[in-house]
């Protein structure tokens, strides 16, 4: 085998592994939906440790810094309530937006799975969403 052929074979194999590791769009939507459902259930049950575990690292850090307290205490003081059923899930690569009956959440994919980057979000005409909870 020539070095050129071998290099191409390795590149193609790496692309296949990378693409298959990401999962299909339906699988990613299902994963996002499961994460949001767990987040909402934990929020409704006031299981704040579970809510905090679902947050992206920067979102968790921003919450604790702005509240000057632990996530579990701070999340209980946020104006977040159960947002109802999932109405729409949009996945774009490693980013997702989930529209619920009463809220919109944003998520990012990390090596350990999908994490909530923003919650308590409302759309604003011609401007970015306004979110109660978000990363820095």
């Amino acid at each position: 085998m020539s070095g050129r052929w071998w290099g191409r074979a390795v590149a193609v194999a790496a692309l296949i592994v990378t693409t298959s590791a990401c999962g299909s769009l339906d699988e990613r939507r299902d994963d996002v939906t499961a994460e949001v459902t767990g987040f909402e259930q934990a929020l409704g049950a006031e299981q704040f440790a579970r809510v905090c575990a679902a947050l992206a690292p920067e979102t968790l850090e921003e919450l604790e810094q702005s509240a000057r307290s632990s996530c579990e205490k701070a999340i209980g003081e946020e104006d977040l309530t159960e947002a109802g059923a999932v109405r729409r899930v949009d996945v774009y690569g490693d980013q997702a937006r989930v529209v619920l009956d009463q809220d919109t959440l944003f998520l990012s994919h990390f090596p350990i799975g999908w994490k909530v980057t923003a919650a308590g979000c409302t759309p604003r005409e011609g401007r970015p969403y306004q979110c109660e909870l978000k990363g820095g």
Side-chain angles (χ1 to χ4, degrees):
M1 280 188 232
S2 74
R4 176 179 262 174
W5 183 88
W6 180 250
R8 286 184 185 157
V10 169
V12 169
L15 180 61
I16 290 169
V17 168
T18 302
T19 304
S20 65
C22 295
S24 72
L25 182 57
D26 286 339
E27 289 171 332
R28 289 184 291 150
R29 279 190 191 125
D30 290 347
D31 291 346
V32 167
T33 301
E35 184 63 33
V36 168
T37 300
F39 178 85
E40 290 295 318
Q41 288 172 344
L43 193 59
E46 296 186 358
Q47 296 174 336
F48 298 136
R50 276 185 55 206
V51 173
C52 293
L55 298 178
E58 286 185 10
T59 306
L60 176 68
E61 183 179 340
E62 178 71 24
L63 174 64
E64 290 180 335
Q65 284 182 358
S66 64
R68 297 182 183 200
S69 66
S70 70
C71 178
E72 289 85 359
K73 183 176 181 199
I75 203 75
E77 296 170 359
E78 288 291 317
D79 190 24
L80 297 174
T81 58
E82 267 189 290
V86 172
R87 293 181 14 210
R88 180 181 177 141
V89 178
D90 299 309
V91 178
Y92 308 97
D94 287 339
Q95 306 296 313
R97 178 185 70 162
V98 180
V99 178
L100 297 107
D101 289 333
Q102 308 285 329
D103 196 359
T104 300
L105 279 72
F106 293 89
L107 295 89
S108 290
H109 189 260
F110 292 86
I112 57 172
W114 290 94
K115 297 290 183 179
V116 175
T117 57
C121 302
T122 53
R124 300 183 299 172
E125 186 68 35
R127 299 186 311 179
Y129 279 76
Q130 177 68 42
C131 299
E132 294 292 323
L133 178 65
K134 61 184 182 267

